[in-house]
Structures are given as C-alpha cells and as structure tokens.
Amino acid sequence: MDEGPERGPSRGPELREPDLPRTAKQRPRALRTGWTTGTCASAAARAAALHLVTGEPQPWVEVALPSGRRVTFAVERSAELRPGRTEAVVVKDAGDDPDVTHGSHLTATVSWREEPGIELHGGVGVGVVTRPGLGLEVGGPAINPVPRAMISRAVGEVVDVAARGVDVTISVPDGERRARKTTNARLGILGGISILGTTGIVRPFSTASWRASVEQAVSVAAAQGAPAVVLCTGGRTEKGAMALLPRLPEVCFIEVGDFTGAALRRAVEHGVGRVVFVGMVGKLTKLASGVLMTHYTRSKVDTAVLADITRAVGGTDALAAEVAAANTARHAYELWDAAGLLQTAGLELCHRVVDVLERFTDRRITAEAAMVDFTGRTVVALRSDGEGLLP
C-alpha cells in the first residue's frame, strides 16, 4: 500500500488531553463488567418467546454472546398480553460503566405472524434513525447489527422460524428520557436510546480504573521486552490488529479505549520506542485533531478536519462541503468511499495521527497508524515508515 510522500516537521493541531468526567474519576474497588442493551434485549426476547411457546413465564433465561459464551439472566417480568402475544422484561446492569442505560427495562414483545421468519421492530423508547452515517437504515430502529443477530438467535433457539414466523418488538419505557443524556439527537437518532453492543459485555472504558489498566498493560508489555505496543480502541480493532501483525506476541496488543495519551506517556516512561495505533475513522479523527483523551463527553469528531483532508487529497470543494456537514465520521467515510477517495483520504488521516502521536511524546517514539473498516477486520489505509511493523 502506498505510504505517501515524505513529510517534514509539522506544527499540527494543538494537543489536548481533557480530564475525565467528574463521575468517572475515582472508583475505589475493582472493575466490574456489565451487559449491553443488545444482550439484555436478546434475553428479554428469549424469555417472551419461551412464554409464547410453553405458556409459562420463565424466571431465568440463558442467551449466547457473540463469542459463543452463554450467560444467564433473571427475568423481571413475563406476561401473556393476549393469546398469541407475550411480553418479558430484563433489567440492564451496566457494571461499573457510567452508562445512562443502567437500570433500564429492556422489554420484548413477541407474537405470532403469518409468514415464516423473524421480523424485528423498535418500540417505545428505542430511537429511530433519521440521518445517514450510522450503518443503519434511515427510518428504521436504532438496533445495531450485532444485537439484531443476538435477538434473532435467542428467538430462533426457541421457535423454528423456518416453519413459523414471529414479530419481535424491543422497547424501553423510559428510553426517550434517558436518550436526552446521550448524543443520540445530535447523530439523528430520535425518540429513544440505541440498542448497542459488539461483544455483549460492557467494559468500563471510561473510568479511572480503565485508565490504570491501560497503563498497567503497557508496563507489562515493556517488562516482557515487547518491541512495540499496539493501541486498539476496542475488541474489533484488536482482532484486526492481531491479524495485521501476526508476528507480535499477544502482550503487545492493548485495548486503549479513550486513554491514548496515558498509554503513550507510559510507553515513553518504559522506553518503548515504537507504537502502532489501529482504529476506525472516528477515533482517528479525534487524534488527528490533537485530542488524546477521546471520551465522548470531552471531545467530538471535528468534521472540519475531515473536510481539510478531503481537499488535501484532491477532493472537490463540493465534496469537502458535504464532508464538513457530515452527521458522523462514518458518514464522511461513506462519502469518501463513494467518491473513490477512501484509501487516499484514509492515508492522509493516518499521516496526521502519526504526527500527533509523535509530537505528544516529543518524538521519543516512532508511531505508525492504520485505519480499519467498521468490522475491524479490513485495513483501509496505513502509515508506516520504511522499517515499520506495518506491512
């Protein structure tokens, strides 16, 4: 892959590392994971489907996570609304993550339908997608692909959907109120929360405890003589990074969450001379803007940076204006892709990220960067020097 022209020293954007939200600064006890809205919705759907099939409410249900691991949930309530229609509720436990959906009642209503298969709907308190750039159909419910698959699997284990059809509606009674504390409206998700999750498990990336775990992971890698640390924003990007760099030991790969700055400082402290950052377009854009602590309450994607990149790689003024007005970084990514500029714009974005990482450490590390797609598995663009780790 083309690595682009050589670049001289760059002044670049002002470097910023905002403080954590006050509520996330101190947690005296060990980190506790929780469950995503998607996992809880799948448990509620399975409970309602079991009630529909057996005629009996289920106090407990077991569902599969995307990893294949199976977990058990208490059912808060299960009822027959009328013959052929049932409803069940599972209460979300977000663990130690400061999550606005903690304690929400994920509710699934299941009923028979004439056509075979599963039809999934969003009910009260589940947001409706009104803008592009989220990877979801405009006008449809804000239920992401992995939760959709989990819900379908949970119901499909109870009902033979090849022979008989069911309608499944996911709702959250106070979801619209809870959504006011999120950025959903700004992203064009109106009327409620999103049903999210890629692993089914909530890991509290946004806490001081998580920052400490990132710093510890860098220290452990350094102590084992790791030739580099590979900073990944989450589980999907970590898997993609491992596939991209198969010769590196597992200890090199760190789910950094929002704490890139903390990881870089620890790398410098331990003399780790090379850092690779692997991420999707949103986090990369924040880094390219000079933001080293990327918690959503402390920074937002600056689409002006993406518009500047568009012009820098030969995009038209009209395209740059579209990118500047994009709803999300993903929307900008899709505009680049449609214009045939995805790889070159992604390369320029990676160049800018590398410059920020190296300036943040006073050039005491050599940085590399790769942008992956939204599956985390496909490399779209990468920036590496001639002797870098990236291929």
Side-chain angles (χ1 to χ4, degrees):
M1 189 174 292
D2 182 17
E3 294 176 0
E6 290 294 323
R7 297 185 173 229
S10 169
R11 294 182 63 182
E14 177 190 356
L15 302 182
R16 296 178 292 123
E17 192 178 13
D19 198 6
L20 278 166
R22 178 181 56 80
T23 55
K25 284 185 179 179
Q26 297 298 329
R27 289 194 182 271
R29 55 193 172 82
L31 207 65
R32 189 172 67 89
T33 59
W35 307 108
T36 64
T37 49
T39 300
C40 296
S42 71
R46 182 180 177 90
L50 282 166
H51 196 160
L52 184 67
V53 169
T54 66
E56 298 291 334
Q58 308 294 314
W60 302 90
V61 290
E62 182 186 84
V63 294
L65 300 179
S67 66
R69 173 187 165 197
R70 300 188 72 88
V71 291
T72 301
F73 287 84
V75 180
E76 178 76 6
R77 177 174 62 83
S78 186
E80 183 180 59
L81 303 181
R82 58 174 170 76
R85 186 178 179 87
T86 55
E87 185 173 273
V89 175
V90 169
V91 179
K92 175 173 175 177
D93 177 4
D96 278 341
D97 198 59
D99 188 328
V100 299
T101 61
H102 177 72
S104 56
H105 285 60
L106 274 295
T107 304
T109 307
V110 178
S111 59
W112 298 119
R113 62 192 297 263
E114 292 184 6
E115 297 293 324
I118 296 174
E119 192 74 27
L120 182 60
H121 311 275
V124 171
V126 172
V128 175
V129 177
T130 66
R131 296 181 189 173
L134 297 167
L136 295 171
E137 181 183 358
V138 173
I143 304 175
N144 278 16
V146 171
R148 287 172 184 264
M150 293 177 68
I151 293 165
S152 296
R153 177 174 178 176
V155 174
E157 290 178 347
V158 176
V159 179
D160 181 2
V161 294
R164 193 167 191 185
V166 287
D167 277 313
V168 179
T169 299
I170 303 299
S171 55
V172 185
D174 61 350
E176 187 168 9
R177 175 182 63 79
R178 289 176 183 269
R180 294 174 195 151
K181 299 178 182 179
T182 73
T183 59
N184 275 12
R186 189 175 72 203
L187 299 177
I189 299 172
L190 303 181
I193 65 168
S194 307
I195 306 301
L196 302 173
T198 56
T199 65
I201 302 170
V202 174
R203 291 185 174 87
F205 292 115
S206 306
T207 67
S209 297
W210 186 259
R211 177 171 57 192
S213 72
V214 167
E215 293 169 338
Q216 183 181 50
V218 175
S219 298
V220 169
Q224 295 189 33
V229 291
V230 184
L231 308 181
C232 314
T233 53
R236 283 179 292 171
T237 53
E238 184 181 58
K239 287 181 181 178
M242 287 179 171
L244 181 63
L245 297 164
R247 291 188 298 276
L248 288 180
E250 188 175 10
V251 71
C252 294
F253 297 88
I254 298 166
E255 287 189 46
V256 74
D258 294 313
F259 299 111
T260 302
L264 291 173
R265 279 195 302 274
R266 187 58 60 92
V268 169
E269 179 184 332
H270 286 295
V272 177
R274 190 174 290 274
V275 171
V276 180
F277 191 95
V278 180
M280 299 176 192
V281 64
K283 293 285 189 185
L284 289 172
T285 302
K286 289 185 177 185
L287 287 173
S289 304
V291 179
L292 278 298
M293 205 292 287
T294 53
H295 188 273
Y296 77 96
T297 65
R298 291 299 184 264
S299 63
K300 63 179 182 179
V301 169
D302 186 355
T303 55
V305 170
L306 299 176
D308 184 61
I309 288 172
T310 305
R311 287 186 288 268
V313 298
T316 64
D317 288 341
L319 178 61
E322 277 192 88
V323 169
N327 183 39
T328 61
R330 180 171 185 150
H331 188 192
Y333 176 104
E334 291 167 354
L335 290 170
W336 285 343
D337 196 16
L341 291 175
L342 182 57
Q343 182 175 326
T344 52
L347 176 60
E348 176 65 19
L349 177 58
C350 288
H351 272 298
R352 298 187 184 203
V353 168
V354 165
D355 184 62
V356 165
L357 300 182
E358 292 185 348
R359 284 199 299 119
F360 184 78
T361 63
D362 294 325
R363 311 286 177 185
R364 285 180 283 180
I365 66 159
T366 299
E368 302 174 61
M371 182 171 79
V372 294
D373 70 0
F374 297 101
T375 69
R377 294 191 294 267
T378 301
V379 177
V380 175
L382 55 83
R383 198 281 189 188
S384 174
D385 62 32
E387 298 179 356
L389 295 167
L390 292 173

